[in-house]
Amino acid sequence: MSESERLISPEAVRHVARLARLALDDDEVALYAVQLSAILEHFDAVRRLDTENVPPTAHPLPIENVLRADTEVPSLDRATVLAQAPSAEGDRFRVPRIMGEAP
Amino acid sequence: MTAQPAPGFGAVAEIASAVRSGELSARSVLEQALRRVAELEGDLHCFNTVTVENAMADADAVDDMVRSGIDPGRLAGVPVALKDNLCTEGIPTTCSSRILAGWLPPYDATAVSRLRRAGAVPVGKTNLDEFAMGSSTENSAFGPTRNPWDTTRVPGGSSGGSAAAVAAGMVPLAFGTDTGGSIRQPASLCGIVGVKPTYGVISRYGLIAFASSLDQIGPFATTVADAALALEVIAGHDPMDSTSLDLPAPTLLASLSDGVSELRVGIVEDFLPDVSPECRASVVAAGEALAAAGAKVEDVAIPEVLLGLPAYYLIAPAEASSNLSRYDGVRYGLRVDGPDSETMNSRTRGEGFGAEVKRRIMIGTYALSAGYYDAYYGQAQKARTLVIRAFEAAYRTFDVLLTPTTPSVAFPFGSKVDDPIEMYLCDLCSIPSNLAGHPAVSVPFALSPDGLPVGVQVLAPALGEALMMRVAASLEAAAPPGVRGPVTP
């Protein structure tokens, strides 16, 4: 097994896919285990960089919180928005159940 | 292959001026565009949607205004193409993804509404790599766009449809987005001008987010002046985008022909070993041209720019993994049902996203996950600081910097798409400007031995657009004939 194959195992891929809510088939899991390992290995220069006393940059320009005036303005029409939903009922989006069955 | 020069539309300012004076109708300009689209779209696949009826109505409205003595604006009657990640009210906006198939945005992006308010006529939505992730348009769920210079080769990406539409003479002006090079790289590969403005100069309200600390909207045109005019029209503060800079639109055209006398130009050495001979040669030739025009040109080493690529490929996927979490099958787009919500979410995303989008979501989620955050994402953010500091130091000595736009000319379909790292390397020279939030422009400057266009890139510090476009205009004036579109495949 090569260095890159050890970096991210198929189990780790399944774990990350679960966190990202991505249903992957077995072929995808195998492919991504190899590819993600190779990508992270290729970009490993960043992990090994000496960054002592270097602050992180999250955003390229200094920006502050921006607030609009506290006045009522029209928002999108509810019917227009719900018309785009895969499933709606009344004034709401409809989804499958989110909890397990009650015992 | 052997592309032939095509007549095109002429200067955007001249089209608008003729339409404003009533000498030319917006309808006739639009018909020219639609004829060209009809002629070439089958070969090139630039568009996901061509909005013929809306465009006709918009063009007629412009002509009605002229007849009523109302000035339609600085882009009167100019047909424009819009990358399909810019929201257009009631018109499909897909990001070239199955997950948004059928979705109709309830509003226009600010960039789109400003174009229409200036009299421009949108003709359609252009193809892209899915969610703007890619450098070839091969990641589109609807099939790739072909390069009008050689239809066996990619147009670049992710804004490949917009670049190819301008390069083929379908429209004189198009818009794209640039997160790591997605305007400049396809502009270079298609022999046209492409600009990524300073972060915050153009409102992103209504742009479907990929990596929010990097994304910018910008224009494609066949000339520097056309691109500068487009920027003047769509730039400027927008209260609907909290990252929009509270500044008026920059003035670019007024100083475009001021020349480069005494300007200090640095040729960034660090990319040159990693680019093809023709890309290296064109940067050297561009430096010589600027020196001949009176600039002081020197080589400069900025080794930190090479941290850009690895930092970007952790930061951009991390931001994407967060931004794309909204595609969950609940509010819009595709839903693939399941017995419970989590299964529905996962199946929808598993079927709705293509391979590259899933790959980036996975990289980003991994880089942000417990135990890896500091080692990957945190380190990448610190590398970003080092890139920014290195640029700051360079701009104490130089007014602008010169680099290749891309490591190679347009490549054949299939040659990189199965090797993600090879594809990511396409962004080597363009990424540092995104990390720094700085403006950059690609200008056609040479042809390869195979007759393919080669662009060079001018970089400037934040809000340095006026100077940058001046340098670009000097390069354009010095470029040999035949290096730019429009062409007929």
Side-chain angles (χ1 to χ4, degrees), chain A residues 18 20-21 23 28 32 35 40 43 46-47 49 51 55 57-61 84-86 93-94 96-98, chain B residues 103-104 199 213 310 313 329-332 335 340-342 346 349 355 358-359 366 375 379 381 384-385 389:
Chain A
R18 165 83 206 286
R21 300 291 188 270
E28 287 177 304
Y32 286 140
Q35 289 186 339
L40 290 173
F43 297 149
V46 164
R47 203 171 53 81
L49 198 64
T51 54
T57 298
H59 198 269
L61 299 173
Q84 296 293 321
F93 299 110
R94 187 184 169 87
R97 66 182 173 80
I98 57 169
Chain B
W103 178 59
L104 300 175
Y199 185 84
S213 81
Y313 275 101
V330 174
R331 289 153 296 168
Y332 34 67
R335 171 181 293 190
D340 57 71
S341 273
E342 187 183 323
S346 299
R349 292 161 62 77
K358 285 190 239 184
R359 191 151 44 231
Y366 182 80
Q379 277 289 92
Q381 288 188 309
R384 185 174 189 175
T385 306
R389 286 180 179 173

Side-chain angles (χ1 to χ4, degrees), chain B residues 432-456:
Chain B
S433 302
N434 299 84
L435 290 173
H438 293 171
V441 54
S442 180
V443 190
F445 198 73
L447 289 183
S448 73
D450 292 339
L452 295 166
V454 183
V456 294

Side-chain angles (χ1 to χ4, degrees), chain B residues 79-329:
Chain B
V80 298
L82 305 169
K83 189 177 183 178
D84 204 16
N85 60 354
L86 292 163
C87 286
T88 41
E89 185 176 348
I91 294 166
T93 299
T94 67
C95 290
S96 290
S97 180
R98 284 186 298 275
I99 213 159
L100 276 175
W103 178 59
L104 300 175
Y107 56 85
D108 276 338
T110 295
V112 174
S113 53
R114 286 188 182 177
L115 285 168
R116 298 184 72 222
R117 221 183 308 142
V121 176
V123 300
K125 307 298 294 290
T126 59
N127 196 19
L128 62 149
D129 286 294
E130 185 178 3
F131 282 101
M133 297 178 192
S135 304
S136 68
T137 74
E138 291 167 289
N139 294 332
S140 166
F142 310 128
T145 296
R146 282 170 283 278
N147 190 319
W149 292 78
D150 177 348
T151 54
T152 67
R153 291 173 188 264
V154 305
S158 65
S159 315
S162 283
V166 171
M170 293 174 170
V171 283
L173 203 57
F175 293 83
T177 59
D178 190 313
T179 304
S182 284
I183 291 173
R184 293 160 285 157
Q185 187 254 8
S188 181
L189 269 47
C190 288
I192 58 172
V193 176
V195 187
K196 184 203 91 74
T198 301
Y199 185 84
V201 159
I202 295 176
S203 167
R204 300 182 301 175
Y205 178 69
L207 163 63
I208 297 177
F210 158 16
S212 301
S213 81
L214 302 160
D215 299 338
Q216 261 296 279
I217 297 169
F220 290 98
T222 55
T223 67
V224 173
D226 288 353
L229 172 57
L231 264 177
E232 286 188 0
V233 168
I234 65 169
H237 183 240
D238 176 17
M240 299 300 279
D241 173 3
S242 64
T243 60
S244 161
L245 292 169
D246 194 1
L247 294 170
T251 302
L252 305 173
L253 287 167
S255 58
L256 212 52
S257 47
D258 284 359
V260 294
S261 186
E262 301 299 309
L263 283 187
R264 299 163 305 168
V265 178
I267 299 182
V268 182
E269 293 170 347
D270 308 270
F271 298 124
L272 300 182
D274 295 326
V275 306
S276 70
E278 59 261 30
C279 294
R280 200 178 311 134
S282 70
V283 171
V284 173
E288 286 166 1
L290 293 175
K296 296 178 191 164
V297 182
E298 279 175 50
D299 291 345
V300 55
I302 314 178
E304 292 85 352
V305 294
L306 298 177
L307 293 172
L309 189 82
Y312 174 90
Y313 275 101
L314 294 166
I315 292 170
E319 295 187 17
S321 72
S322 170
N323 273 324
L324 272 61
S325 65
R326 61 176 59 109
Y327 306 103
D328 57 5

